[in-house]
Each structure stands twice: as C-alpha cells, then as structure tokens.
Amino acid sequence: MPRGPVRMWIFVPLSLVLAGLAAIAAADEVVRLSSLDLTKMTAGWGQPRADESVQGRPLLIAGRRFAHGVGTHADSVLCVILGGGTRRLTAWVGVDDEVGTSPASIEFQVAADGETLYRSGVMKAGAAAERIDIDLAGKQTLLLVVRSAGDGVDYDHANWAEAELIVSGQRPVAVDRPPVPEEPRVLWTPPAGPEPRINGPRLFGVRPGHPFLYRIPCTGTRPLTFAVDNLPAGLDIDPTTGIIRGRAPREPGSYVVTLRAKNTTGSAAKDFSIVVGETLALTPPMGWNSWYIHYARVTQEHMRAAARTMIESGMADYGYMYVNIDDCWMKKEGDLPYRDAQGAVLPNAKFPDIRGMVDEIHAQGLRAGTYISPGPWTCAGYVGSHQHEAADARKFAEWGFDFLKYDWCSYEQVATGEGRMRLMRPYQQMGDILKSLDRDIVLNLCQYGMGNVWEWGAEVGGHCWRTTGDLGLERDQLLPGFYSIGLSNARHWQHARPGQWNDPDYILIGWVGSAFNQSEGTPTSLTTNEQYSYMSLWCLMAAPLIFSGDMAKLDPFTLNVLCNAEVIAVDQDALGQQARPVRQDDQTLVLVKPLEDGSRAVGLFNLADRQRTIEATWQELGVEGPCQVRDLWRQTDLGISAEKLEAQVPRHGVQLVKVREER
Ligand code: GLA
C-alpha cells in the first residue's frame, strides 16, 4: 500500500478529533442556532427558516450541502442573550445556491457586547462557504447580522450553515431587537420670511420653438406681484401668479432674464436663463408621483387634488412642479377595448378626462407626468405600449404630458437582440419618438439599473434613470432602505450631469401606502434623523426630488424636510455634479458636491446606531482651509474653521453644510 495517502488519511481525522476535543469540553452542550426562537430573527425578505434556505430548500453553498443551520435574507439581525454561558460560535456562512447567478452580495457580521468579532467581507453567489469559529467566553450578548453589501437587498439569500453555540453554562436565548429610540420631530428648516424670496434653479432647458411653462417658485406673503425683465418674444408672464407661458424662441441660445417678485414687505430679483437647445432637465426634476401612496387605487381626482395641494402647501414655491401618475391608469386585461381607433392607449374608468386633468395641472403652472411600459403589460398588469409606441407617445403629447416614466416590466417577454442592445432598444425607440414631437417630454428610464444604464441612458434619450430596484417601504432592515439604495446610487456619481441624472427612486416620507393595494397609508417609520439624512443624501446626489407620500396628509414636519430652500439649492445647482463619496464604511459616509459658485456641499452621515463625532479634513474634502461653514438645514453660519469639519452626528443622522474657502 503506498505510504503517502495512508499518512494523510491518518493525519487529517486525528487532527480534527484533537481540535474538536480542545473546542468542546466534556460538560459542553452543543446548541444548534436553528433550535433558537427564529421568530426573533429579522429578514429583509421572507422568513428565516430552521435547517432550510429562506425559500425552504436544503441549505446549499457553492454545491456543498449542510445538514442544519439557518437560512435568512439580508438585512437580517438576531440578538441572543448569552449571559456568559456560551464559549464559542462555529458555522459556515455564504450565499445560498438557490439564487443562481443573480447578483447577490452580502456581508456576515458577528458582534458580542458591542464589539465586532467577525466580518466576512463581501460574499457573492457561488463563493465557497467560509468557516467561522469565534470565542465568546464571558460574553453577555451576541448579535448575528447579515447586511446587504451596498447594492440593495435583492437576491441576498444568506445561510448560517451548521451554526452551533458551544454552551458550558446558561443557555442562549434569542430576544427581540431593542426598540428604536424615539426622536422628537424637531423642525430644522426656519420658516420662510414675509418678504419675497425666489427659489428654484438658475436655468431651465426648452427645445427651440416648443411650448414653455414655468411658475416662478417664490416664498413670501401673498399677494405677490411678479415681473420678468428681457423676456423673449413669444413668452408672457402673469403678474399675479408668476406663471411664464408661451413658446420658446426658435433660435437656440441662453436667454438671460431677471425674475422679479414684490409684496408690501419687500422685493426680490434673480437672474434666470431660459436655455433653448436640445437638453431638457438641466437640473433634476422635482415633483410628486402617485405610486407609493395610491398604487392601483389611483384616480384622476387624486392627481387633480395633488396639483392643488402642491400649490396650497407651498411645495411649488420651492420648485416642485411635476405631478406624475404612475402605473394603473390604463385598462387592465379583459377591460376591452384597450385602444382607440388610432391605436392609442385608452385610460380606464378612473381617468374619464385626462386632457381636462392635464389642463388643470398646467393652469396652475405645474407640469404633468405619465407612465407606461414598453412591454405588452405594465408591472401591475395594465396595458403597455408594445407595438403602439408612436401612437401612445403622440397621445401623451396631445394630452399635454411633460414627463414619461417608461418602465421595463413585461418587456422581457418581447425583447430581442443581445446584451446591452437588448436593453437599449425600447428606450432608444421611445427616446427617438419623443424627440420628434412638438412638445418637451422628460424621459425617465425605469429598468432597475440593468446593463449599467447610467453608462448609456443619455445616449438613448433618457434624462434620468433608476439605478436600482424599487426602494419600497421600510422592511425589517438594519438600516432603512434608502441607505442601501442611496449608497448604491452614490457609486455612479461620474455619470450625472445636466440633463442626465441617476434616479434612486422616490422620497418616501410622510404618509406612505402600507402595502400594495391596501386602502390606508401609514406614517413613515423613519426617525427624524433618518428623514433629514434621506433628503440630504438625495440632494447631494443630484437626484430627482419626487415625493411619493400622501399629498392629502402633509404635516408641518414632512413639509419642513421637503421644503428647505438652501438644501434644495444643493440638488438644483446648475453645475449639475453628483456628490463624490470621499469616505464610506459601515459607520460613516462622507459626500462632497462641488457647486457652481465654487463652494462645496458636504454631508457627514452617521450610519451607526449611536451618536458619534465625525470629522473630515479640508484636504480630504478637496479644499484649502481656512473655510467658512454654513449649516444648510438650519440656515445658519457656523463660522470659520482652519483645518477640518467636525460634528456630533446623532444615530442615523446627518450634518449637511456648505463649505467655502476663505481667501
Ligand atoms: C415598478 C417600478 C415602480 C412602479 C411599479 C408600478 O416596480 O419600479 O416604481 O412604477 O413598477 O407597477
């Protein structure tokens, strides 16, 4: 018998036996993780399962099958009271094979008594399971965490395979996560003064000779009187409403006008460029969308009421202007006919007069948006544009729409071609059709980031493109969903510029729909600090600012988050750069956005569960000190600092400032 293999055979089991003896003493009890109360474990999707994957299959990582363990889904947390009785944790961790080649990416973490003892690093589908063996001697509490690794939680099926606690004393007990501390709804945004203040971007794009509509966003006690100096021929201003309408000049170029507003307490003036050319959406679109509050219940009346509220609540005075229907305004399968004699899509009974609805929205100086899919059906199962694209687009223009969200949905069934071309084709087609119309329609690509849409969205005629799957309502996540979506979107900063924006989905605060098609919404579960972080992150990322909560239940706190002129000015800055992440780890995100006036907007985000001091040196932020610092939310100067920015940032909170070199 050859000697080598025999020696190996003897050596391997012997060493394992010895190691095992060292790890498990005679009095030890092995407690399987799967025997604990898994109702205490949270998951970002589905339910954690004992001895099965989250979808109920055998636990399988990179082809290796595990006899027992826990299958869960990021973000997932389990808190366990150990009481000093557990000596070790052993397990194999990895992504379950049931996700196939989908882009799962997760990180496993183990913490005890507040200290992180293990991190797997990013693990992807197909990667071999990693063995963990962690000393827990004397520890009181254990936290088992699976985080999405920065690209949203889609496909993040995670296994704690053959996970065992080696117990020598008190038995481990799974418990609920401690509740989120209450935070008072403090209003950071100072109330607008009585004197006029003209908000909104410094410029607006329109194609030559096309219809133009712009309501001057202006706060201050009404009545206000408006005027515009040097308004090109073909445009008129209504002095009482501040609405400019008419047709843009045929000659391309930048028409610089001065917007003026006055009331009994004072006056304001602002230079504004009407940029006649081929580029629309020179700054990110701002408005409201029906999806996350009304879902399939949406009616024409919701849209009309939303437009009225956009004016009455003051949102329009800060630049919100698009009133956008999402899915579910067309016919559902079986509700024939789907189309009119010209082949254009017909609305369902809840939208009896789309033209009248759009006219009413326009009469208030606002713009209207619509939605459809290039596929045969929309995501919610309503009629799509497939093979009727031109007729539908012409109908949208005839109705007067100014914005189209074009949502991939069922297009997969009819897609042709390979690779990127397959993804580009429907958007290129609609982009070309829209360019041929006598109307400016902003094109919002919605295909969840497939094929790195940020690299080609503009080429096919898109003005903004969703970079991820749906943000969705808050699930049981370690950090609220806007962080993972935001962190993913933040990576594409180099692709944003005037007319081309990364879209991380809507702003879901205030009252949001509790679930698809249920009749009631609920107030957001986001804390005060999380809501300020959300808005700050979107503004730094030059994201479209589209609120999708209930317009009928706007409260002062929600309005104070949505309507801070200095914060919105960061989003709407004419330079059109998206903030660059200069530091990002589990606990901290630092974003820097260069602004047109040479200053920079900086966000210090604290992702940790407790208040922390966050610092950033001027060098790190790419500026030369000393610098003047202004708190944008509170609209107060913080003074001059020689070396760095430093702030105490609360749990999941933000410090959003503007930094200007002192020269
Ligand atoms: C998709 C989109 C959502 C919404 C729904 C409507 O999920 O990503 O934003 O439009 O479809 O069905």
Side-chain angles (χ1 to χ4, degrees):
M1 191 186 277
R3 294 181 61 189
V6 175
R7 264 213 326 267
M8 278 288 289
W9 187 85
I10 293 168
F11 173 76
V12 174
L14 204 64
S15 65
L16 274 182
V17 169
L18 291 176
L21 285 178
I24 309 173
D28 284 345
E29 183 190 356
V30 176
V31 175
R32 290 183 173 185
L33 186 68
S34 57
S35 72
L36 300 188
D37 178 2
L38 296 183
T39 63
K40 306 291 183 193
M41 185 183 242
T42 64
W45 181 88
Q47 298 293 328
R49 289 172 181 260
D51 307 329
E52 289 177 340
S53 73
V54 71
Q55 279 186 305
R57 301 196 175 94
L59 294 163
L60 210 58
I61 303 173
R64 176 170 170 184
R65 191 163 170 171
F66 294 89
H68 65 90
V70 175
T72 184
H73 194 289
D75 288 342
S76 172
V77 180
L78 180 68
C79 297
V80 184
I81 302 293
L82 303 177
T86 297
R87 298 202 304 108
R88 305 196 79 74
L89 165 71
T90 59
W92 295 88
V93 295
V95 177
D96 195 279
D97 284 359
E98 69 192 355
V99 304
T101 54
S102 302
S105 61
I106 51 183
E107 186 180 47
F108 291 82
Q109 294 178 6
V110 177
D113 295 351
E115 187 192 348
T116 302
L117 302 178
Y118 168 76
R119 266 164 208 276
S120 63
V122 177
M123 298 194 77
K124 305 246 179 203
E130 183 164 296
R131 175 72 175 162
I132 64 175
D133 183 353
I134 295 165
D135 184 358
L136 295 174
K139 301 293 185 195
Q140 299 300 312
T141 58
L142 171 70
L143 209 56
L144 299 183
V145 174
V146 187
R147 291 176 175 274
S148 121
D151 62 350
V153 298
D154 294 352
Y155 312 109
D156 286 349
H157 298 214
N159 293 339
W160 295 95
E162 293 179 4
E164 293 176 342
L165 295 159
I166 315 302
V167 177
S168 56
Q170 182 179 321
R171 275 184 72 88
V173 181
V175 293
D176 288 322
R177 272 176 79 184
V180 172
E182 283 276 318
E183 290 175 10
R185 295 285 195 228
V186 183
L187 304 186
W188 283 358
T189 303
E195 63 288 348
R197 177 194 158 116
I198 301 176
N199 299 310
R202 187 185 66 65
L203 37 69
F204 205 91
V206 57
R207 285 159 62 213
H210 279 199
F212 182 83
L213 175 67
Y214 189 79
R215 177 186 183 275
I216 300 172
C218 184
T219 54
T221 309
R222 297 202 175 231
L224 289 159
T225 307
F226 294 93
V228 183
D229 301 349
N230 307 321
L231 199 58
L235 296 176
D236 283 310
I237 167 92
D238 178 330
T240 54
T241 59
I243 299 172
I244 305 170
R245 58 173 91 241
R247 284 215 172 238
R250 297 208 162 270
E251 193 60 39
S254 199
Y255 295 78
V256 183
V257 303
T258 305
L259 309 177
R260 296 189 182 279
K262 65 176 188 214
N263 64 12
T264 51
T265 65
S267 63
K270 176 170 176 153
D271 285 346
F272 181 74
S273 296
I274 298 169
V275 183
V276 180
E278 289 309 310
T279 313
L280 305 179
L282 291 174
T283 62
M286 292 177 63
W288 174 81
N289 170 288
S290 61
W291 182 243
Y292 279 112
I293 182 64
H294 300 308
Y295 299 96
R297 300 182 305 273
V298 66
T299 65
Q300 184 174 296
E301 193 42 51
H302 286 133
M303 304 309 298
R304 297 172 62 217
R308 288 194 298 270
T309 307
M310 196 171 275
I311 302 288
E312 284 159 15
S313 66
M315 280 176 73
D317 299 337
Y318 291 86
Y320 292 91
M321 64 172 79
Y322 288 97
V323 181
N324 294 351
I325 328 174
D326 205 273
D327 201 347
C328 311
W329 62 268
M330 349 51 188
K331 305 278 199 95
K332 241 195 149 151
E333 192 162 8
D335 183 6
L336 290 159
Y338 299 146
R339 302 187 161 273
D340 67 13
Q342 286 71 46
V345 63
L346 284 168
N348 64 37
K350 291 186 290 172
F351 288 84
D353 180 14
I354 294 214
R355 182 64 202 254
M357 174 190 85
V358 174
D359 284 351
E360 190 178 322
I361 293 171
H362 286 165
Q364 296 166 87
L366 303 174
R367 292 168 179 249
T370 189
Y371 166 105
I372 205 158
S373 170
W377 304 99
T378 68
C379 299
Y382 292 71
V383 174
S385 277
H386 184 52
Q387 293 180 332
H388 299 274
E389 297 80 3
D392 286 356
R394 277 197 302 271
K395 194 71 186 175
F396 297 154
E398 188 187 313
W399 277 329
F401 282 110
D402 310 285
F403 187 106
L404 172 65
K405 173 174 171 181
Y406 208 39
D407 194 350
W408 179 271
C409 304
S410 67
Y411 189 79
E412 197 56 51
Q413 299 166 17
V414 294
T416 55
E418 293 298 318
R420 196 170 270 198
M421 288 312 295
R422 179 183 174 86
L423 301 171
M424 290 170 83
R425 194 186 300 258
Y427 293 99
Q428 180 80 62
Q429 182 188 22
M430 184 51 81
D432 290 347
I433 297 169
L434 294 183
K435 278 183 198 150
S436 72
L437 302 173
D438 177 32
R439 182 158 197 92
D440 290 348
I441 300 184
V442 168
L443 179 58
N444 181 198
L445 276 50
C446 181
Q447 47 84 287
Y448 339 115
M450 291 186 292
N452 291 359
V453 63
W454 43 90
E455 289 169 4
W456 51 265
E459 202 183 306
V460 298
H463 300 102
C464 43
W465 39 81
R466 284 268 302 278
T467 56
T468 68
D470 292 6
L471 201 155
L473 302 179
E474 294 314 322
R475 292 161 295 196
D476 225 336
Q477 293 160 117
L478 209 52
L479 275 170
F482 76 85
Y483 281 110
S484 51
I485 297 283
L487 291 173
S488 171
N489 188 75
R491 295 200 299 251
H492 314 308
W493 61 277
Q494 279 150 308
H495 298 280
R497 53 186 58 98
Q500 314 179 18
W501 310 106
N502 292 311
D503 173 5
D505 210 355
Y506 303 132
I507 299 177
L508 306 184
I509 61 172
W511 281 65
V512 281
S514 55
F516 185 80
N517 235 3
Q518 278 184 16
S519 58
E520 298 257 333
T522 45
T524 176
S525 58
L526 296 175
T527 66
T528 299
N529 281 299
E530 287 164 351
Q531 294 187 55
Y532 286 123
S533 294
Y534 197 156
M535 185 71 182
S536 305
L537 190 51
W538 261 230
C539 288
L540 283 161
M541 294 193 303
L545 296 180
I546 311 280
F547 173 60
S548 191
D550 198 342
M551 291 292 278
K553 290 186 184 150
L554 283 168
D555 57 277
F557 178 79
T558 305
L559 282 168
N560 123 97
V561 175
L562 292 172
C563 298
N564 183 309
E566 294 196 23
V567 173
I568 291 173
V570 172
D571 182 80
Q572 295 290 303
D573 186 72
L575 194 59
Q577 290 200 14
Q578 178 172 332
R580 180 171 61 93
V582 295
R583 197 186 327 151
Q584 187 183 334
D585 58 40
D586 264 10
Q587 307 220 312
T588 314
L589 172 69
V590 178
L591 290 179
V592 183
K593 183 182 198 286
L595 302 175
E596 192 187 29
D597 67 1
S599 67
R600 281 169 171 70
V602 180
L604 305 178
F605 294 87
N606 179 12
L607 312 187
D609 256 341
R610 67 200 147 78
Q611 173 159 313
R612 291 164 55 240
T613 305
I614 302 183
E615 293 183 359
T617 62
W618 295 143
Q619 196 188 10
E620 195 178 0
L621 300 174
V623 291
E624 263 184 48
C627 291
Q628 296 171 13
V629 182
R630 182 168 173 83
D631 178 334
L632 293 177
W633 277 107
R634 297 175 184 84
Q635 302 182 1
T636 51
D637 289 329
L638 300 178
I640 295 171
S641 167
E643 283 157 30
K644 63 181 179 189
L645 205 56
E646 179 178 348
Q648 291 285 319
V649 189
R651 171 190 187 274
H652 297 180
V654 65
Q655 172 85 341
L656 179 67
V657 296
K658 186 163 169 168
V659 168
R660 182 188 298 281
E661 291 177 354
E662 168 88 356
R663 277 192 252 229

